[in-house]
Amino acid sequence: MFTNKTFTMLKPDSVEKGNIGAILEKITASGFRIVALKLTQLTNADAEAFYAVHNERPFFGDLVTYMTRGPIVAAILEKENAVEDFRTLIGATNPTEAAEGTIRNMFADSISENAVHGSDSDENAAIEGAFHFSEREMF
Ligand code: ATP
Ligand code: MG
């Protein structure tokens, strides 16, 4: 069962800047257990589907270009209250509004290139995790 779990992506800017290790360290030091982990790259169709809720927004094209321009790190994380606690750990969408010490405060450059994704519900965490990982890749 997919309970007390969330899904994250370290977005292309985090990989490009060499921040994979620092961000994973921050995540595990905050009490999350890594259940699944891989370096992968989204296709255009993947990114369009993943962010379909935003497809009418003016930034949608740039968002798809950004999310597909290089590899991401996809991961499933486990912790009590994982979805909500991980959203707290990453901070606000706009890093200028992200609280001190949050991942976006520390590692994101802008609202459009904001370092990490965190699922916004248990239901979406399960869908997003299952998209990237098979049963045998989840521990
Ligand atoms: P994510 O879904 O990636 O975890 P989020 O839930 O904090 O981010 P959403 O509102 O779902 O924020 O927006 C999805 C992504 O679209 C953001 O992370 C950001 O990369 C981009 N985005 C959101 N709002 C803007 C904006 N006003 N201008 C440019 N890009 C934006
Ligand atoms: Mg979102």
Side-chain angles (χ1 to χ4, degrees), residues 101-122:
T102 59
I103 291 175
R104 283 170 169 163
N105 168 262
M106 294 171 72
F107 298 103
D109 287 334
S110 67
I111 189 168
S112 50
E113 302 210 359
N114 59 8
V116 285
H117 161 74
S119 301
D120 59 13
S121 67
D122 287 350

Side-chain angles (χ1 to χ4, degrees), residues 11 51 54 59 63 66 87 93 104 111-112 114 117-118:
K11 297 181 177 182
Y51 286 113
H54 298 303
F59 58 81
L63 176 59
Y66 159 54
R87 294 291 304 200
T93 306
R104 283 170 169 163
I111 189 168
S112 50
N114 59 8
H117 161 74

Side-chain angles (χ1 to χ4, degrees), residues 9 11-12 42 47 51 62-70 72:
M9 292 185 286
K11 297 181 177 182
L42 300 181
Y51 286 113
D62 288 343
L63 176 59
V64 171
T65 300
Y66 159 54
M67 288 302 299
T68 58
R69 77 177 181 217
I72 59 149

Side-chain angles (χ1 to χ4, degrees), residues 2-124:
F2 212 93
T3 52
N4 288 327
K5 292 193 185 79
T6 192
F7 172 77
T8 187
M9 292 185 286
L10 312 192
K11 297 181 177 182
D13 54 321
S14 294
V15 178
E16 289 159 9
K17 291 193 286 184
N19 288 337
I20 296 173
I23 294 174
L24 290 180
E25 168 60 24
K26 176 112 181 123
I27 290 170
T28 54
S30 301
F32 292 85
R33 186 174 77 85
I34 296 172
V35 174
L37 184 70
K38 72 169 70 162
L39 200 59
T40 184
Q41 185 163 2
L42 300 181
T43 65
N44 260 38
D46 293 339
E48 284 170 8
F50 195 89
Y51 286 113
V53 64
H54 298 303
N55 64 12
E56 303 291 322
R57 308 285 290 278
F59 58 81
F60 186 67
D62 288 343
L63 176 59
V64 171
T65 300
Y66 159 54
M67 288 302 299
T68 58
R69 77 177 181 217
I72 59 149
V73 173
I76 298 172
L77 306 171
E78 183 177 54
K79 181 184 181 296
E80 199 177 308
N81 202 36
V83 167
E84 190 183 343
D85 285 3
F86 192 69
R87 294 291 304 200
T88 301
L89 178 64
I90 68 179
T93 306
N94 188 343
T96 64
E97 293 164 12
E100 192 72 27
T102 59
I103 291 175
R104 283 170 169 163
N105 168 262
M106 294 171 72
F107 298 103
D109 287 334
S110 67
I111 189 168
S112 50
E113 302 210 359
N114 59 8
V116 285
H117 161 74
S119 301
D120 59 13
S121 67
D122 287 350
E123 185 190 3
N124 283 335

